[in-house]
Coordinates of all heavy atoms in Angstrom, one line a residue:
M1 N 0.8 -1.2 0.0 CA 0.0 0.0 0.0 C 0.9 1.2 0.0 O 1.9 1.3 0.7 CB -0.9 0.0 1.2 CG -1.8 1.2 1.3 SD -2.9 1.3 2.7 CE -1.7 1.3 4.1
K2 N 0.4 2.2 -0.7 CA 1.1 3.5 -0.7 C 0.3 4.5 0.0 O -0.9 4.6 -0.2 CB 1.3 4.0 -2.2 CG 2.0 5.3 -2.3 CD 2.2 5.7 -3.8 CE 2.8 7.1 -3.9 NZ 2.7 7.5 -5.3
I3 N 0.9 5.3 0.9 CA 0.3 6.4 1.6 C 0.9 7.7 1.2 O 2.1 7.9 1.4 CB 0.4 6.2 3.1 CG1 -0.1 4.8 3.6 CG2 -0.3 7.3 3.9 CD1 0.1 4.5 5.0
T4 N 0.0 8.6 0.7 CA 0.5 9.9 0.4 C -0.1 10.9 1.4 O -1.3 11.0 1.6 CB 0.0 10.3 -1.0 OG1 0.5 9.4 -2.0 CG2 0.6 11.7 -1.4
R5 N 0.8 11.6 2.1 CA 0.5 12.5 3.2 C 0.5 14.0 2.7 O 1.4 14.4 2.1 CB 1.4 12.4 4.3 CG 1.2 13.2 5.5 CD 2.2 13.0 6.6 NE 3.6 13.3 6.2 CZ 4.5 12.4 6.0 NH1 4.3 11.1 6.2 NH2 5.7 12.8 5.7
T6 N -0.6 14.7 3.0 CA -0.7 16.1 2.7 C -1.1 16.8 4.0 O -2.1 16.5 4.6 CB -1.7 16.4 1.6 OG1 -1.4 15.6 0.5 CG2 -1.7 17.9 1.2
E7 N -0.2 17.7 4.5 CA -0.5 18.5 5.7 C -0.8 19.9 5.4 O -0.1 20.5 4.5 CB 0.6 18.3 6.7 CG 0.9 16.9 7.1 CD 2.1 16.8 8.1 OE1 1.9 17.2 9.3 OE2 3.1 16.3 7.6
N8 N -1.7 20.5 6.1 CA -2.0 21.9 5.9 C -2.5 22.5 7.3 O -3.6 22.4 7.6 CB -3.1 22.1 4.8 CG -3.4 23.6 4.5 OD1 -2.7 24.5 5.0 ND2 -4.4 23.9 3.8
G9 N -1.5 23.0 8.0 CA -1.8 23.5 9.3 C -2.2 22.4 10.2 O -1.5 21.4 10.4
S10 N -3.5 22.4 10.8 CA -3.9 21.4 11.7 C -4.7 20.3 10.9 O -5.4 19.5 11.5 CB -4.7 21.9 12.8 OG -5.9 22.6 12.3
S11 N -4.7 20.4 9.6 CA -5.4 19.4 8.8 C -4.4 18.4 8.2 O -3.3 18.8 7.7 CB -6.1 20.0 7.6 OG -7.1 20.9 8.1
L12 N -4.8 17.1 8.1 CA -4.0 16.1 7.6 C -4.8 15.2 6.6 O -6.0 14.8 7.0 CB -3.4 15.2 8.7 CG -2.7 13.9 8.2 CD1 -1.4 14.3 7.5 CD2 -2.3 13.0 9.5
C13 N -4.3 15.0 5.4 CA -5.0 14.1 4.5 C -4.1 12.9 4.2 O -2.9 13.2 3.8 CB -5.4 14.8 3.2 SG -6.2 13.8 2.0
L14 N -4.6 11.7 4.3 CA -3.8 10.6 3.9 C -4.5 9.9 2.8 O -5.7 9.4 2.9 CB -3.7 9.6 5.1 CG -2.9 10.1 6.3 CD1 -3.0 9.0 7.4 CD2 -1.5 10.5 6.0
A15 N -3.9 9.9 1.6 CA -4.5 9.2 0.4 C -3.9 7.8 0.4 O -2.7 7.6 0.4 CB -4.1 10.0 -0.8
L16 N -4.8 6.8 0.3 CA -4.4 5.4 0.4 C -4.5 4.8 -1.0 O -5.5 5.0 -1.7 CB -5.3 4.6 1.3 CG -5.4 5.2 2.7 CD1 -6.3 4.3 3.6 CD2 -4.1 5.4 3.4
E17 N -3.5 4.0 -1.4 CA -3.5 3.4 -2.7 C -3.1 1.9 -2.5 O -2.1 1.6 -1.9 CB -2.4 4.1 -3.6 CG -2.4 3.6 -5.0 CD -1.4 4.3 -5.9 OE1 -1.1 5.5 -5.6 OE2 -0.9 3.7 -6.8
G18 N -3.9 1.0 -3.1 CA -3.6 -0.4 -3.0 C -4.6 -1.1 -2.1 O -5.8 -0.9 -2.1
R19 N -4.0 -2.0 -1.2 CA -4.8 -2.8 -0.3 C -4.5 -2.4 1.1 O -3.4 -2.4 1.5 CB -4.5 -4.3 -0.5 CG -4.8 -4.8 -1.9 CD -4.3 -6.2 -2.1 NE -4.7 -7.2 -1.1 CZ -5.8 -7.9 -1.3 NH1 -6.6 -7.8 -2.3 NH2 -6.1 -8.8 -0.3
L20 N -5.6 -2.3 1.9 CA -5.5 -2.0 3.3 C -5.9 -3.3 4.0 O -7.1 -3.6 4.2 CB -6.3 -0.9 3.8 CG -6.3 -0.5 5.3 CD1 -4.9 -0.3 5.8 CD2 -7.1 0.8 5.5
D21 N -4.9 -4.2 4.4 CA -5.2 -5.5 4.9 C -4.3 -5.8 6.1 O -3.6 -4.9 6.6 CB -5.1 -6.5 3.8 CG -3.7 -6.6 3.1 OD1 -2.7 -6.1 3.7 OD2 -3.7 -7.1 2.0
T22 N -4.2 -7.1 6.4 CA -3.4 -7.5 7.6 C -1.9 -7.1 7.4 O -1.3 -6.7 8.4 CB -3.5 -9.0 7.8 OG1 -4.9 -9.3 7.9 CG2 -2.7 -9.5 9.0
N23 N -1.4 -7.2 6.2 CA 0.0 -6.8 5.9 C 0.3 -5.4 6.0 O 1.4 -4.9 6.3 CB 0.4 -7.4 4.6 CG 0.4 -8.9 4.6 OD1 0.7 -9.6 5.6 ND2 0.0 -9.5 3.5
T24 N -0.7 -4.5 5.5 CA -0.4 -3.1 5.4 C -1.1 -2.2 6.5 O -0.7 -1.1 6.6 CB -0.9 -2.6 4.0 OG1 -2.3 -2.9 3.9 CG2 -0.2 -3.3 2.9
A25 N -2.0 -2.8 7.2 CA -2.7 -2.0 8.3 C -1.7 -1.4 9.3 O -1.8 -0.3 9.7 CB -3.7 -2.8 9.0
P26 N -0.6 -2.2 9.7 CA 0.4 -1.6 10.7 C 1.1 -0.4 10.1 O 1.4 0.5 10.9 CB 1.3 -2.8 10.9 CG 0.6 -4.0 10.6 CD -0.4 -3.6 9.5
E27 N 1.3 -0.3 8.8 CA 1.9 0.8 8.2 C 1.0 2.1 8.4 O 1.5 3.1 8.7 CB 2.1 0.5 6.7 CG 2.8 1.6 5.9 CD 2.9 1.3 4.5 OE1 2.7 0.1 4.1 OE2 3.2 2.2 3.7
L28 N -0.3 1.9 8.1 CA -1.2 3.0 8.3 C -1.3 3.4 9.8 O -1.3 4.6 10.1 CB -2.6 2.7 7.8 CG -3.6 3.8 7.9 CD1 -3.2 5.1 7.3 CD2 -5.0 3.3 7.4
E29 N -1.3 2.4 10.6 CA -1.4 2.7 12.1 C -0.2 3.5 12.6 O -0.3 4.4 13.3 CB -1.5 1.4 12.8 CG -1.9 1.5 14.3 CD -2.2 0.2 14.9 OE1 -1.7 -0.9 14.5 OE2 -3.1 0.2 15.8
S30 N 1.0 3.1 12.1 CA 2.2 3.9 12.4 C 2.2 5.3 11.9 O 2.6 6.2 12.6 CB 3.4 3.2 11.9 OG 3.6 1.9 12.5
E31 N 1.7 5.4 10.7 CA 1.6 6.8 10.1 C 0.7 7.7 11.0 O 1.0 8.8 11.2 CB 1.1 6.7 8.7 CG 0.9 8.0 8.0 CD 2.2 8.6 7.5 OE1 3.2 7.9 7.3 OE2 2.3 9.8 7.4
L32 N -0.5 7.1 11.4 CA -1.4 7.9 12.2 C -0.9 8.2 13.6 O -1.0 9.3 14.0 CB -2.7 7.1 12.3 CG -3.6 7.0 11.0 CD1 -4.6 5.9 11.1 CD2 -4.1 8.3 10.7
K33 N -0.3 7.2 14.2 CA 0.2 7.4 15.6 C 1.2 8.5 15.6 O 1.3 9.3 16.6 CB 0.8 6.1 16.1 CG -0.2 5.2 16.7 CD 0.5 4.0 17.3 CE -0.6 3.0 17.9 NZ 0.0 1.8 18.4
G34 N 2.0 8.6 14.6 CA 3.1 9.7 14.6 C 2.6 11.0 14.2 O 3.3 12.0 14.3
R35 N 1.3 11.2 13.8 CA 0.9 12.4 13.2 C -0.3 13.1 13.9 O -0.6 14.2 13.7 CB 0.5 12.2 11.7 CG 1.7 11.6 11.0 CD 2.2 12.7 10.0 NE 3.4 12.1 9.3 CZ 4.6 12.6 9.4 NH1 4.8 13.7 10.1 NH2 5.6 12.0 8.8
L36 N -1.1 12.3 14.6 CA -2.4 12.8 15.0 C -2.4 13.8 16.2 O -3.4 14.5 16.4 CB -3.4 11.7 15.3 CG -3.8 10.8 14.2 CD1 -4.9 9.8 14.6 CD2 -4.4 11.7 13.0
D37 N -1.3 13.9 16.9 CA -1.3 14.8 18.1 C -1.7 16.2 17.8 O -2.5 16.8 18.6 CB 0.1 14.8 18.7 CG 0.5 13.5 19.4 OD1 -0.5 12.7 19.6 OD2 1.6 13.2 19.6
S38 N -1.3 16.8 16.7 CA -1.6 18.2 16.5 C -2.7 18.4 15.4 O -3.0 19.5 15.0 CB -0.3 18.9 16.0 OG 0.2 18.3 14.8
V39 N -3.3 17.3 15.0 CA -4.3 17.3 13.9 C -5.7 17.5 14.5 O -6.1 16.9 15.5 CB -4.3 16.0 13.1 CG1 -5.4 15.9 12.1 CG2 -3.0 15.9 12.4
K40 N -6.4 18.5 13.9 CA -7.8 18.8 14.3 C -8.8 18.2 13.2 O -9.9 17.9 13.5 CB -8.1 20.3 14.4 CG -7.2 20.9 15.4 CD -7.7 20.7 16.8 CE -6.9 21.5 17.8 NZ -6.4 20.7 18.9
E41 N -8.3 18.0 12.0 CA -9.1 17.5 10.9 C -8.3 16.5 10.1 O -7.3 16.8 9.6 CB -9.4 18.7 10.0 CG -10.8 18.7 9.4 CD -11.0 19.9 8.5 OE1 -11.2 21.0 9.1 OE2 -11.0 19.8 7.3
L42 N -8.9 15.3 10.1 CA -8.2 14.1 9.4 C -9.1 13.7 8.2 O -10.3 13.5 8.4 CB -8.0 13.0 10.3 CG -7.4 11.7 9.7 CD1 -6.1 11.9 9.1 CD2 -7.4 10.6 10.8
T43 N -8.5 13.6 7.1 CA -9.2 13.1 5.9 C -8.5 11.8 5.4 O -7.3 11.9 5.2 CB -9.3 14.1 4.7 OG1 -9.9 15.3 5.2 CG2 -10.0 13.6 3.5
I44 N -9.2 10.7 5.2 CA -8.7 9.5 4.6 C -9.3 9.4 3.2 O -10.5 9.2 3.1 CB -9.0 8.3 5.4 CG1 -8.6 8.4 6.9 CG2 -8.4 7.0 4.8 CD1 -7.2 8.4 7.2
D45 N -8.4 9.6 2.2 CA -8.9 9.6 0.8 C -8.7 8.2 0.3 O -7.5 7.7 0.2 CB -8.1 10.6 0.0 CG -8.5 10.7 -1.5 OD1 -9.3 9.8 -1.9 OD2 -8.1 11.7 -2.1
M46 N -9.8 7.5 -0.1 CA -9.7 6.1 -0.6 C -9.9 6.0 -2.1 O -10.3 4.9 -2.5 CB -10.7 5.3 0.2 CG -10.5 5.2 1.7 SD -11.6 4.0 2.5 CE -10.8 3.9 4.1
A47 N -9.7 7.0 -2.8 CA -9.9 7.0 -4.3 C -9.1 5.8 -4.9 O -9.6 5.2 -5.9 CB -9.5 8.3 -4.9
E48 N -8.0 5.5 -4.5 CA -7.1 4.5 -5.1 C -7.0 3.2 -4.2 O -6.2 2.4 -4.5 CB -5.7 5.0 -5.4 CG -5.7 6.2 -6.3 CD -6.2 5.9 -7.7 OE1 -6.0 4.8 -8.2 OE2 -6.9 6.8 -8.3
L49 N -7.9 3.1 -3.2 CA -7.9 1.9 -2.4 C -8.7 0.8 -3.1 O -9.9 1.0 -3.4 CB -8.4 2.2 -1.0 CG -8.3 1.1 0.0 CD1 -6.8 1.0 0.4 CD2 -9.1 1.4 1.3
S50 N -8.1 -0.4 -3.3 CA -8.8 -1.4 -4.0 C -9.4 -2.5 -3.0 O -10.3 -3.2 -3.4 CB -7.9 -2.1 -4.9 OG -6.7 -2.7 -4.3
Y51 N -8.9 -2.5 -1.8 CA -9.4 -3.6 -0.9 C -9.3 -3.1 0.6 O -8.3 -2.4 0.9 CB -8.6 -4.9 -1.1 CG -8.9 -6.0 -0.2 CD1 -10.0 -6.8 -0.4 CD2 -8.1 -6.3 1.0 CE1 -10.3 -7.8 0.5 CE2 -8.4 -7.3 1.8 CZ -9.5 -8.1 1.6 OH -9.9 -9.1 2.5
L52 N -10.2 -3.5 1.4 CA -10.2 -3.2 2.8 C -10.6 -4.4 3.6 O -11.6 -5.0 3.4 CB -11.2 -2.0 3.1 CG -11.4 -1.6 4.5 CD1 -10.1 -1.0 5.1 CD2 -12.5 -0.6 4.6
S53 N -9.7 -4.8 4.6 CA -10.0 -6.0 5.4 C -10.4 -5.5 6.8 O -10.4 -4.3 7.2 CB -8.8 -6.9 5.5 OG -7.8 -6.3 6.4
S54 N -10.7 -6.5 7.7 CA -11.0 -6.2 9.1 C -9.9 -5.5 9.8 O -10.1 -4.7 10.7 CB -11.5 -7.4 9.8 OG -10.4 -8.4 9.8
A55 N -8.6 -5.8 9.4 CA -7.5 -5.2 10.1 C -7.5 -3.7 9.7 O -7.1 -2.8 10.5 CB -6.2 -5.8 9.6
G56 N -7.8 -3.4 8.5 CA -7.9 -2.0 8.1 C -9.1 -1.3 8.8 O -8.9 -0.1 9.2
L57 N -10.2 -1.9 9.0 CA -11.3 -1.4 9.7 C -10.9 -1.0 11.2 O -11.3 0.0 11.7 CB -12.5 -2.3 9.7 CG -13.2 -2.5 8.4 CD1 -14.3 -3.6 8.5 CD2 -13.9 -1.2 8.0
R58 N -10.1 -1.9 11.8 CA -9.7 -1.7 13.1 C -8.8 -0.4 13.2 O -9.0 0.4 14.1 CB -8.8 -2.9 13.6 CG -8.3 -2.7 15.1 CD -7.4 -3.9 15.5 NE -6.3 -4.0 14.6 CZ -5.2 -3.2 14.6 NH1 -5.1 -2.2 15.4 NH2 -4.2 -3.4 13.8
V59 N -8.0 -0.2 12.3 CA -7.1 1.0 12.2 C -8.0 2.3 12.1 O -7.8 3.3 12.7 CB -6.0 1.0 11.2 CG1 -5.3 2.3 11.1 CG2 -5.1 -0.2 11.4
L60 N -9.0 2.2 11.2 CA -9.9 3.3 10.9 C -10.7 3.6 12.2 O -10.9 4.8 12.5 CB -10.8 3.0 9.8 CG -10.2 3.0 8.4 CD1 -11.2 2.5 7.3 CD2 -9.5 4.3 8.0
L61 N -11.1 2.6 12.9 CA -11.9 2.8 14.1 C -11.0 3.5 15.2 O -11.5 4.4 15.9 CB -12.4 1.5 14.6 CG -13.3 1.5 15.9 CD1 -14.5 2.4 15.7 CD2 -13.6 0.1 16.3
G62 N -9.8 3.1 15.3 CA -8.9 3.7 16.3 C -8.7 5.2 15.9 O -8.7 6.0 16.8
A63 N -8.5 5.5 14.7 CA -8.3 6.9 14.2 C -9.6 7.7 14.5 O -9.5 8.8 15.0 CB -8.0 6.9 12.7
Q64 N -10.7 7.1 14.3 CA -12.0 7.8 14.5 C -12.1 8.1 16.0 O -12.5 9.2 16.4 CB -13.2 7.0 14.0 CG -14.5 7.6 14.2 CD -14.7 8.9 13.4 OE1 -14.6 8.8 12.2 NE2 -14.8 10.0 14.0
K65 N -11.8 7.2 16.9 CA -11.9 7.4 18.3 C -11.0 8.5 18.7 O -11.4 9.4 19.5 CB -11.6 6.1 19.1 CG -12.6 5.1 19.0 CD -12.2 3.9 19.8 CE -13.3 2.8 19.8 NZ -12.9 1.6 20.5
T66 N -9.8 8.6 18.2 CA -8.8 9.6 18.5 C -9.4 11.0 18.0 O -9.4 12.0 18.8 CB -7.5 9.4 17.9 OG1 -6.9 8.1 18.4 CG2 -6.5 10.5 18.1
M67 N -9.9 11.0 16.8 CA -10.3 12.3 16.2 C -11.6 12.7 16.9 O -11.9 13.9 16.9 CB -10.5 12.1 14.7 CG -9.2 11.9 14.0 SD -7.8 13.1 14.5 CE -8.6 14.7 14.0
N68 N -12.4 11.9 17.4 CA -13.6 12.3 18.2 C -13.3 13.1 19.4 O -14.0 14.0 19.7 CB -14.4 11.0 18.7 CG -15.2 10.4 17.6 OD1 -15.4 10.9 16.5 ND2 -15.6 9.2 17.8
R69 N -12.1 12.9 19.9 CA -11.6 13.7 21.1 C -11.0 15.0 20.7 O -11.0 15.9 21.5 CB -10.6 12.9 21.9 CG -11.2 11.7 22.6 CD -10.2 11.0 23.6 NE -9.0 10.5 23.0 CZ -8.9 9.3 22.4 NH1 -9.9 8.5 22.4 NH2 -7.7 9.0 21.9
Q70 N -10.5 15.1 19.5 CA -9.7 16.3 19.2 C -10.1 17.0 18.0 O -9.4 18.0 17.6 CB -8.2 16.0 19.2 CG -7.8 15.0 18.1 CD -6.4 14.5 18.3 OE1 -6.1 14.0 19.4 NE2 -5.6 14.6 17.3
G71 N -11.1 16.6 17.3 CA -11.5 17.3 16.0 C -12.5 16.4 15.3 O -13.4 15.9 15.8
G72 N -12.2 16.2 14.0 CA -13.1 15.4 13.2 C -12.3 14.6 12.1 O -11.2 14.9 11.8
M73 N -13.0 13.6 11.6 CA -12.4 12.7 10.6 C -13.5 12.4 9.6 O -14.6 12.2 9.9 CB -12.0 11.4 11.3 CG -11.4 10.4 10.3 SD -10.8 8.9 11.1 CE -11.3 7.6 10.0
R74 N -13.0 12.4 8.3 CA -13.9 12.0 7.2 C -13.2 11.1 6.3 O -11.9 11.1 6.2 CB -14.4 13.2 6.5 CG -13.4 14.1 5.8 CD -14.0 15.4 5.3 NE -12.9 16.1 4.7 CZ -12.9 16.7 3.5 NH1 -14.0 16.6 2.8 NH2 -11.9 17.3 3.1
V75 N -13.9 10.2 5.6 CA -13.4 9.3 4.6 C -14.0 9.7 3.3 O -15.2 9.8 3.2 CB -13.8 7.8 5.0 CG1 -13.2 6.9 4.0 CG2 -13.3 7.5 6.4
T76 N -13.2 9.9 2.3 CA -13.7 10.4 1.0 C -13.3 9.4 -0.1 O -12.5 8.6 0.0 CB -13.0 11.8 0.7 OG1 -11.6 11.6 0.6 CG2 -13.4 12.8 1.7
N77 N -14.0 9.6 -1.2 CA -13.8 8.9 -2.5 C -13.8 7.3 -2.3 O -12.9 6.6 -2.8 CB -12.5 9.3 -3.1 CG -12.5 10.8 -3.4 OD1 -13.4 11.3 -4.0 ND2 -11.4 11.5 -3.0
V78 N -14.8 6.9 -1.6 CA -14.9 5.4 -1.3 C -15.6 4.7 -2.5 O -16.6 5.1 -3.0 CB -15.8 5.2 -0.1 CG1 -16.0 3.7 0.2 CG2 -15.2 5.9 1.1
N79 N -14.9 3.7 -3.0 CA -15.5 2.9 -4.1 C -16.6 2.0 -3.7 O -16.9 1.8 -2.5 CB -14.4 2.2 -4.9 CG -13.8 1.0 -4.1 OD1 -14.5 0.3 -3.3 ND2 -12.5 0.8 -4.3
E80 N -17.3 1.4 -4.6 CA -18.4 0.5 -4.3 C -18.1 -0.6 -3.4 O -18.9 -1.0 -2.5 CB -19.0 0.0 -5.7 CG -20.4 -0.2 -5.7 CD -20.9 -0.5 -7.1 OE1 -20.9 0.4 -8.0 OE2 -21.2 -1.7 -7.3
T81 N -17.0 -1.3 -3.7 CA -16.6 -2.5 -2.9 C -16.4 -2.1 -1.4 O -16.9 -2.8 -0.5 CB -15.3 -3.1 -3.5 OG1 -15.5 -3.4 -4.8 CG2 -14.9 -4.3 -2.7
V82 N -15.6 -1.0 -1.2 CA -15.3 -0.6 0.2 C -16.6 -0.1 0.8 O -16.9 -0.3 2.0 CB -14.2 0.5 0.2 CG1 -14.0 1.0 1.6 CG2 -12.9 -0.2 -0.3
M83 N -17.5 0.6 0.1 CA -18.7 1.1 0.6 C -19.6 0.0 1.1 O -20.2 0.1 2.2 CB -19.5 1.9 -0.4 CG -20.7 2.6 0.1 SD -20.4 3.8 1.4 CE -20.0 5.2 0.4
E84 N -19.6 -1.1 0.4 CA -20.4 -2.3 0.8 C -19.8 -2.9 2.1 O -20.6 -3.3 3.0 CB -20.3 -3.4 -0.3 CG -21.2 -4.5 -0.1 CD -21.2 -5.5 -1.2 OE1 -21.0 -5.1 -2.4 OE2 -21.5 -6.7 -1.0
I85 N -18.5 -2.9 2.3 CA -17.9 -3.3 3.5 C -18.4 -2.4 4.7 O -18.7 -2.9 5.7 CB -16.4 -3.4 3.4 CG1 -16.0 -4.5 2.4 CG2 -15.7 -3.6 4.8 CD1 -14.5 -4.4 2.0
F86 N -18.3 -1.1 4.4 CA -18.8 -0.2 5.5 C -20.3 -0.4 5.8 O -20.6 -0.3 7.0 CB -18.6 1.3 5.0 CG -17.2 1.8 5.0 CD1 -16.8 2.9 4.3 CD2 -16.2 1.2 5.8 CE1 -15.5 3.4 4.3 CE2 -14.9 1.7 5.8 CZ -14.6 2.8 5.0
E87 N -21.1 -0.7 4.8 CA -22.5 -0.9 5.1 C -22.7 -2.2 5.9 O -23.5 -2.2 6.9 CB -23.3 -1.0 3.7 CG -23.4 0.3 3.0 CD -24.0 0.2 1.6 OE1 -24.2 -1.0 1.2 OE2 -24.1 1.2 0.9
I88 N -22.1 -3.3 5.5 CA -22.3 -4.6 6.1 C -21.8 -4.5 7.6 O -22.4 -5.1 8.5 CB -21.6 -5.7 5.3 CG1 -22.3 -5.9 4.0 CG2 -21.5 -7.0 6.1 CD1 -21.5 -6.8 3.0
T89 N -20.7 -3.9 7.8 CA -20.1 -3.9 9.2 C -20.7 -2.8 10.1 O -20.4 -2.8 11.3 CB -18.6 -3.6 9.1 OG1 -18.3 -2.4 8.4 CG2 -17.9 -4.8 8.3
G90 N -21.5 -1.9 9.5 CA -22.1 -0.8 10.3 C -21.2 0.4 10.5 O -21.5 1.3 11.2
F91 N -20.1 0.4 9.8 CA -19.1 1.5 9.8 C -19.7 2.8 9.3 O -19.2 3.9 9.6 CB -17.8 1.2 9.2 CG -16.8 0.6 10.1 CD1 -17.0 -0.6 10.7 CD2 -15.6 1.2 10.4 CE1 -16.1 -1.2 11.6 CE2 -14.7 0.7 11.3 CZ -15.0 -0.5 11.9
L92 N -20.8 2.7 8.5 CA -21.4 3.9 8.0 C -22.0 4.7 9.1 O -22.2 5.9 9.0 CB -22.5 3.6 6.9 CG -21.9 3.3 5.5 CD1 -23.1 3.0 4.6 CD2 -21.0 4.4 5.0
N93 N -22.3 4.0 10.2 CA -22.9 4.7 11.4 C -21.8 5.3 12.3 O -22.1 6.1 13.2 CB -23.7 3.7 12.2 CG -24.9 3.2 11.5 OD1 -25.5 3.9 10.7 ND2 -25.2 1.9 11.7
I94 N -20.5 4.9 12.0 CA -19.4 5.4 12.9 C -18.6 6.4 12.2 O -18.2 7.4 12.8 CB -18.5 4.1 13.2 CG1 -19.3 3.1 14.0 CG2 -17.2 4.6 13.9 CD1 -18.5 1.8 14.1
L95 N -18.3 6.2 10.9 CA -17.5 7.1 10.1 C -18.3 8.2 9.3 O -19.5 7.9 9.0 CB -16.7 6.3 9.1 CG -15.8 5.2 9.6 CD1 -15.2 4.5 8.4 CD2 -14.7 5.8 10.5
T96 N -17.7 9.3 9.0 CA -18.3 10.3 8.1 C -17.7 10.0 6.8 O -16.5 10.1 6.5 CB -17.9 11.7 8.5 OG1 -18.4 11.9 9.9 CG2 -18.5 12.7 7.6
V97 N -18.6 9.4 5.9 CA -18.2 9.0 4.6 C -18.7 10.0 3.5 O -19.9 10.2 3.5 CB -18.6 7.6 4.2 CG1 -18.2 7.2 2.8 CG2 -18.1 6.6 5.3
E98 N -17.9 10.6 2.7 CA -18.3 11.5 1.7 C -17.9 11.0 0.3 O -17.0 10.4 0.1 CB -17.6 12.9 1.9 CG -17.9 13.5 3.3 CD -17.2 14.8 3.6 OE1 -16.3 15.2 2.8 OE2 -17.4 15.4 4.6

């Protein structure tokens, strides 16, 4: 998976490309842990994400919990496959998906 980071003041956007699964979820988790302290607005751009597993959902949930305390988080450009995963797992009730 490739992660492209764009920072603008207290806003952070992480664009994900490839697969967010058991092998790559720790990479995203590390990226988030090192960056969220000063972030008020987090955007996860999934325009190029082709697959999302339960390990990826766990990382997204952790990020959402952190951002609930210090600002907001949104997930953008979700494809049909990932949207279906969000629907089935109930994550549409947890995440702000645009």
Side-chain angles (χ1 to χ4, degrees):
M1 178 179 65
K2 179 180 176 190
I3 302 172
T4 303
R5 181 180 60 250
T6 306
E7 295 178 77
N8 185 7
S10 63
S11 296
L12 173 64
C13 177
L14 298 178
L16 309 180
E17 184 178 335
R19 296 172 57 90
L20 180 52
D21 57 21
T22 304
N23 295 323
T24 59
E27 181 183 346
L28 177 59
E29 192 168 31
S30 292
E31 180 74 26
L32 289 167
K33 279 185 180 176
R35 304 252 176 240
L36 290 187
D37 289 343
S38 61
V39 172
K40 301 282 185 229
E41 218 177 287
L42 173 63
T43 302
I44 307 288
D45 184 345
M46 295 188 168
E48 300 297 323
L49 190 71
S50 59
Y51 177 79
L52 176 66
S53 77
S54 60
L57 288 172
R58 182 186 56 76
V59 174
L60 292 175
L61 181 60
Q64 182 65 63
K65 286 180 178 179
T66 299
M67 294 311 298
N68 283 344
R69 291 189 299 272
Q70 64 192 52
M73 175 176 145
R74 63 191 178 127
V75 180
T76 61
N77 301 312
V78 177
N79 68 35
E80 213 174 286
T81 304
V82 173
M83 185 63 82
E84 188 175 334
I85 292 167
F86 285 160
E87 288 171 359
I88 291 169
T89 60
F91 268 64
L92 283 181
N93 299 324
I94 298 168
L95 302 175
T96 301
V97 180
E98 299 175 355

